[in-house]
Amino acid sequence: MRNWCLCQICTCGRHHCPHGTTRIYENSGVFFPTTEYLEKYPMYDNVLPTQSLKPKQEIRACRGKMEGITTFKSDYRPYEIVKQPRHVPEEYKPKQEKIDLGTTYKQDFNSYKVQPVAIVRPLERQQVKKGKLDMVPTYKDDYRAWDLHKSELYKPEQTYQLPTVKFGNSTTFQDDFVPQEIKPRQSGQSFKPSSVVKRSTAPFNGITSHRLDYIPHQLELKFERPKEVYKPTEQRFEDLTTHRYDFQGLIGETAKICRPVHTRVTQNARFEGSTEFRECFQPWEIPPPEVKKVPEYVPPTGSMLLNSTSHLDYVPYQANRILPIRPVSHRRSNNFPFQGKSTMKEDFPAWENCRQGVIKKQQIPNPSGKFDGLSTFRSHYVPHKLIPTESCKPLNIAFKSSVPFDDVTMYSIEYTPKIQEICKASYPSPPGYIFENTNSQGHKFFRKITPAVKAF
């Protein structure tokens, strides 16, 4: 007889065999869960999903009269406001006893007589000049003058000799350049285009595609909506706020200042302007510094040698001036006088510049007649009758039809209601099946019960 697994008995697809056993319980025939969760939390029956509590999107028209009661008005309970007692500070009373101004410094400090400190500065010794000092320094004694000879020049001799034959080679510019004859431009000949606008003799063709294709249509009258008349409410406006209701101005006195009077402590003794620094450090007489005499400048005797090594070693050479290698000019010499005319001078001659006179404003004479007050706008303006344009917006009225509404759909025609069956695998032991065993992979196998057939 065929055995059915729990996965095969399930018809909703939510129930499966628990894969949690191992090879140890293969032939035991008893299911041993391997986790604490399966031991403490058994499986429950099939639980249907919770229904949605979202309200349906339906328009609820207001049928009853609107009440002006809010949650604040219904829940709020007025209480009696009791004024809190105010703390009255005690009146300040100054003490009549005298203040003891003595300090530990005045008690412990003993004044001593201070004498000026003796000077530790050494006395200044002045050098006395008795005679001329005739001594030889160590530099003059150790240094000896040596006989220096003039060193010979290492300048190489010039072996270059100037050529005697004339240089007769031509350059690439002389070979390639071909002199051209310059033709003078004719006087008065200008290539500047004329600034005169050329006008067409043909008539102007003002026909456009808009004028050809445009068809004027008569405009319909604009629908004018009647103005709604404002209707004020008959109820009285309540302008009483919670601040005005709860707050009541109370007359009170200003608070008194509890700060004591500031009395400055002064001494009657006269201030002595002497300090310890002034007593210890007194000005001392300082002798003026000695000025060192600078010896007078004595120019050296004899004449100054202005010769240098360049003047002495330089040997002048006779050299000819190098001629330029410029090509020979083939310009023709004309005896005609120079014409200093140009197109600029001919087209733009000089004008006589006269100084502009003072521009005086013309005084407008005062009007003699009466002011009409008629402007050009008033005189030329022609009033036209305004034709209001009708609104093409459709009316906001629901369309009503006498034909009954056809609510037949394909879903309502083809839908066949089915009975919702409960999955057999949701029960601890499926009805119509008997538990057989559990294999090593964790699958539960059940045997189907066959009804007994009665023999005739």
Side-chain angles (χ1 to χ4, degrees):
M1 187 175 290
R2 183 184 176 186
N3 293 335
W4 295 81
C5 179
L6 187 65
C7 304
Q8 298 174 350
I9 297 171
C10 178
T11 56
C12 62
R14 298 181 182 179
H15 304 89
H16 301 279
C17 295
H19 298 251
T21 57
T22 57
R23 290 282 180 180
I24 302 172
Y25 313 103
E26 181 176 0
N27 299 322
S28 60
V30 184
F31 173 68
F32 292 94
T34 58
T35 60
E36 186 181 359
Y37 180 80
L38 294 175
E39 292 178 355
K40 293 185 178 181
Y41 298 95
M43 296 178 63
Y44 295 93
D45 297 338
N46 188 14
V47 181
L48 298 175
T50 57
Q51 296 181 359
S52 177
L53 301 177
K54 185 177 180 182
K56 298 181 180 179
Q57 295 182 356
E58 295 179 356
I59 301 172
R60 296 180 181 180
C62 183
R63 298 177 181 178
K65 189 177 180 181
M66 181 178 177
E67 297 180 357
I69 301 172
T70 60
T71 55
F72 180 78
K73 289 183 179 180
S74 60
D75 300 340
Y76 177 73
R77 298 177 183 178
Y79 296 95
E80 294 182 0
I81 298 172
V82 182
K83 187 177 179 181
Q84 295 181 359
R86 188 175 180 182
H87 176 71
V88 180
E90 297 180 358
E91 187 179 356
Y92 174 74
K93 295 179 180 180
K95 296 180 180 181
Q96 297 179 0
E97 298 178 0
K98 293 183 180 180
I99 301 173
D100 187 9
L101 300 175
T103 60
T104 55
Y105 180 79
K106 289 183 178 181
Q107 294 176 3
D108 300 340
F109 178 71
N110 299 325
S111 58
Y112 298 94
K113 293 182 180 180
V114 181
Q115 297 180 359
V117 183
I119 303 171
V120 195
R121 184 177 179 183
L123 298 175
E124 187 176 359
R125 299 178 182 179
Q126 296 182 359
Q127 296 180 1
V128 181
K129 296 181 180 180
K130 296 181 179 180
K132 187 177 181 181
L133 183 64
D134 189 7
M135 297 178 70
V136 180
T138 56
Y139 180 77
K140 288 184 179 181
D141 191 12
D142 297 341
Y143 179 73
R144 299 176 183 179
W146 301 91
D147 296 334
L148 299 176
H149 298 283
K150 189 176 181 181
S151 60
E152 297 180 358
L153 295 175
Y154 295 99
K155 187 177 181 181
E157 297 181 357
Q158 294 184 359
T159 57
Y160 175 74
Q161 296 180 359
L162 296 174
T164 57
V165 184
K166 186 178 180 180
F167 184 76
N169 296 333
S170 60
T171 61
T172 55
F173 180 77
Q174 293 177 356
D175 297 338
D176 300 339
F177 178 72
V178 180
Q180 302 290 337
E181 185 178 358
I182 301 171
K183 295 181 180 180
R185 192 171 59 180
Q186 297 180 3
S187 61
Q189 184 180 3
S190 176
F191 296 99
K192 185 179 179 181
S194 60
S195 60
V196 181
V197 181
K198 294 182 180 180
R199 297 182 179 180
S200 178
T201 55
F204 177 69
N205 187 10
I207 300 172
T208 60
S209 59
H210 180 74
R211 293 183 179 179
L212 293 174
D213 301 338
Y214 178 71
I215 300 171
H217 297 278
Q218 188 175 0
L219 298 175
E220 297 178 357
L221 296 176
K222 186 177 180 182
F223 175 73
E224 186 176 0
R225 182 179 295 178
K227 295 183 179 179
E228 296 180 358
V229 182
Y230 173 72
K231 294 180 180 181
T233 58
E234 298 177 356
Q235 298 179 1
R236 188 179 178 183
F237 177 69
E238 297 180 0
D239 56 347
L240 184 63
T241 60
T242 55
H243 180 75
R244 291 184 181 179
Y245 182 76
D246 298 337
F247 177 74
Q248 297 177 3
L250 301 176
I251 300 172
E253 297 180 357
T254 56
K256 296 181 180 180
I257 300 173
C258 302
R259 185 176 58 186
V261 181
H262 179 67
T263 55
R264 187 175 181 182
V265 180
T266 57
Q267 295 180 1
N268 298 327
R270 188 177 179 182
F271 176 69
E272 296 180 0
S274 62
T275 60
E276 185 180 359
F277 181 79
R278 290 184 180 180
E279 291 177 356
C280 297
F281 299 95
Q282 297 180 0
W284 309 99
E285 294 181 0
I286 299 173
E290 294 183 359
V291 181
K292 188 177 181 180
K293 294 182 179 180
V294 182
E296 296 181 357
Y297 174 72
V298 180
T301 57
S303 61
M304 185 177 179
L305 298 175
L306 300 175
N307 294 330
S308 61
T309 54
S310 178
H311 287 189
L312 297 174
D313 299 338
Y314 178 72
V315 180
Y317 295 97
Q318 294 180 0
N320 297 327
R321 189 175 181 181
I322 300 173
L323 298 175
I325 317 176
R326 188 188 308 170
V328 181
S329 178
H330 298 281
R331 188 175 181 181
R332 296 182 181 181
S333 59
N334 298 325
N335 298 325
F336 300 104
F338 176 70
Q339 296 179 358
K341 295 181 180 181
S342 63
T343 54
M344 176 74 179
K345 290 184 178 180
E346 291 178 356
D347 297 342
F348 299 95
W351 302 91
E352 295 180 359
N353 188 10
C354 299
R355 187 174 182 181
Q356 188 177 4
V358 181
I359 301 173
K360 295 182 178 180
K361 295 182 179 180
Q362 296 181 1
Q363 295 182 358
I364 302 173
N366 296 327
S368 58
K370 188 178 180 182
F371 179 65
D372 295 336
L374 186 65
S375 61
T376 54
F377 179 77
R378 292 183 179 179
S379 59
H380 297 303
Y381 177 70
V382 180
H384 297 278
K385 188 177 180 180
L386 295 176
I387 301 173
T389 56
E390 292 183 358
S391 177
C392 300
K393 184 178 179 181
L395 299 175
N396 193 10
I397 301 172
F399 179 74
K400 296 181 179 179
S401 177
S402 59
V403 182
F405 179 68
D406 187 10
D407 56 348
V408 179
T409 59
M410 296 289 294
Y411 180 78
S412 61
I413 295 171
E414 297 179 357
Y415 176 72
T416 54
K418 298 179 181 179
I419 300 171
Q420 187 174 3
E421 297 178 356
I422 301 173
C423 182
K424 295 182 179 180
S426 61
Y427 296 98
S429 59
Y433 294 89
I434 299 173
F435 177 74
E436 286 288 333
N437 60 354
T438 304
N439 64 352
S440 60
Q441 296 179 359
H443 291 277
K444 291 182 178 182
F445 290 96
F446 296 86
R447 180 172 53 83
K448 195 172 184 181
I449 302 173
T450 56
V453 181
K454 296 180 180 180
F456 294 99

